[in-house]
Amino acid sequence: MGAVAPSHSQVAPLLLVDGFNVLWRGHFGFPAPILSRDKQRNLTGLFAFFALLRATIRDDLDTPPVEVCVVLDGENGSAERKDSDADYKANRESTPAALEPLQFLAPMKEALDAYGIAWVEIDNAEADDVIATLTNRHPDRPIRIMSADQDYYQLLDSDRVRIINRARKASKRIITAAEVHERYGVTPAQWPDYRALTGDKSDNLPGVKGIGAKTAAALLAGGLTLDELPSSGRLTGAKGAAITDSWTVALRCRELSRMRRDVPVGWQAIGHVSPALPRPADVIEKLGMW
């Protein structure tokens, strides 16, 4: 008899952390600022990143322990999408205040290395495409994705993949495919089609003017894709005309929303449980930044 494949419960989950998302939200959303002992340096982003990661591993995983990989946006990660649409993420602030968390990237990587936590940064790839690729690469592993970015909903293809959003209250932090369908009326596979119609303010995607969440869900009901709408008989009235008139815009929004699952990622998950993280104060102490 052939070897029996291990069940998902027998394989250590892989926790993929959207590093910039956690760092930015930690820096700007932590309950109180964390300052150096001389009060001259704001260390909130660095402290918050490790505090949130440690708390997630401790509190939000249904099947610990886990293998952890922090994924970072490459410096030119958005270039390809911006080449196809100059408005992509053009609404993101680039003031010195908005970019403050960038100062913590080097010490964050140093600390991850010091504590044996893997991290991946590919110059010409966005973190979500790398995470999508790693999720696709390991179909036998339970995957947990730590991010508040709704783009990851398209990866919830089964109960194997779940999203952890620390911005939500404790009882609502774990997001599943079932919740996405219940809340938005579409399946995870339809998420790019849904965003093609509704738009996405966070990425500056306009969608179709006048098409809101309820209308988009109704149009896509039954698992329809954007490509099937013209022959579905559903594009009637003013809203149908709006979609027809903005068809190329919708297609472009969908393409920009779709995550790539074929990024050449050199890092390979090995199935070993990652070392435990110490208290964030100890991390900063080890870096000599207090």
Side-chain angles (χ1 to χ4, degrees):
M1 184 170 64
V4 178
S7 69
H8 291 163
S9 62
Q10 295 174 310
V11 181
L14 178 59
L15 174 62
L16 300 172
V17 181
D18 185 348
F20 276 25
N21 187 278
V22 177
L23 178 62
W24 254 255
R25 287 182 171 271
H27 183 75
F28 294 111
F30 211 59
I34 306 297
L35 304 177
S36 59
R37 292 190 179 102
D38 61 8
K39 309 300 181 185
Q40 298 302 304
R41 287 172 294 135
N42 184 343
L43 301 172
T44 305
L46 187 62
F47 185 98
F49 176 84
F50 285 100
L52 293 170
L53 179 54
R54 187 171 187 261
T56 287
I57 294 171
R58 183 190 65 218
D59 301 333
D60 298 328
L61 295 169
D62 50 336
T63 52
V66 293
E67 182 175 8
V68 182
C69 181
V70 176
V71 182
L72 303 170
D73 290 296
E75 184 175 353
N76 299 301
S78 300
E80 185 176 339
R81 286 184 172 92
K82 287 181 177 179
D83 284 345
S84 65
D85 189 333
D87 291 331
Y88 177 69
K89 293 188 176 180
N91 58 336
R92 302 285 177 95
E93 288 189 45
S94 57
T95 62
L99 297 178
E100 276 184 1
L102 287 175
Q103 68 182 295
F104 301 122
L105 283 179
M108 183 176 81
K109 294 174 186 176
E110 182 182 346
L112 291 170
D113 284 339
Y115 290 106
I117 304 296
W119 58 273
V120 173
E121 181 181 31
I122 299 175
D123 178 71
N124 62 347
E126 294 189 67
D128 53 3
D129 293 322
V130 175
I131 288 175
T133 297
L134 292 173
T135 299
N136 194 58
R137 179 184 289 178
H138 298 285
D140 60 331
R141 299 281 296 276
I143 303 288
R144 302 295 178 260
I145 299 168
M146 183 180 178
S147 180
D149 189 344
Q150 291 184 334
D151 285 343
Y152 290 107
Y153 288 0
Q154 63 193 272
L155 301 182
L156 295 170
D157 56 357
S158 69
D159 197 46
R160 177 183 73 91
V161 182
R162 298 184 181 185
I163 294 167
I164 303 170
N165 182 352
R166 291 286 306 188
R168 302 172 70 171
K169 64 181 182 179
S171 62
K172 299 291 185 180
R173 284 179 190 152
I174 309 301
I175 301 167
T176 64
E179 180 189 333
V180 170
H181 188 266
E182 180 180 349
R183 184 173 182 182
Y184 298 98
V186 295
T187 66
Q190 291 176 293
W191 192 256
D193 300 279
Y194 178 75
R195 282 306 194 202
L197 297 174
T198 66
D200 184 353
K201 290 182 179 179
S202 66
D203 287 341
N204 204 36
L205 302 181
V208 178
K209 187 175 181 180
I211 303 299
K214 289 184 178 180
T215 300
L219 288 168
L220 298 171
L224 258 66
T225 65
L226 191 66
D227 301 306
E228 294 170 323
L229 283 181
S231 61
S232 69
R234 297 181 182 183
L235 298 183
T236 59
K239 293 186 184 296
I243 294 172
T244 300
D245 292 343
S246 300
W247 188 247
T248 57
V249 174
L251 291 175
R252 186 170 71 250
C253 288
R254 182 178 65 175
E255 186 59 28
L256 292 169
S257 295
R258 279 177 170 164
M259 292 180 175
R260 288 181 55 193
R261 307 189 188 202
D262 59 353
V263 176
V265 183
W267 179 80
Q268 181 70 39
I270 57 177
H272 293 173
V273 172
S274 298
L277 280 171
R279 298 181 308 154
D282 295 335
V283 175
I284 294 178
E285 184 73 46
K286 187 176 184 68
L287 293 171
M289 296 182 68
W290 278 124

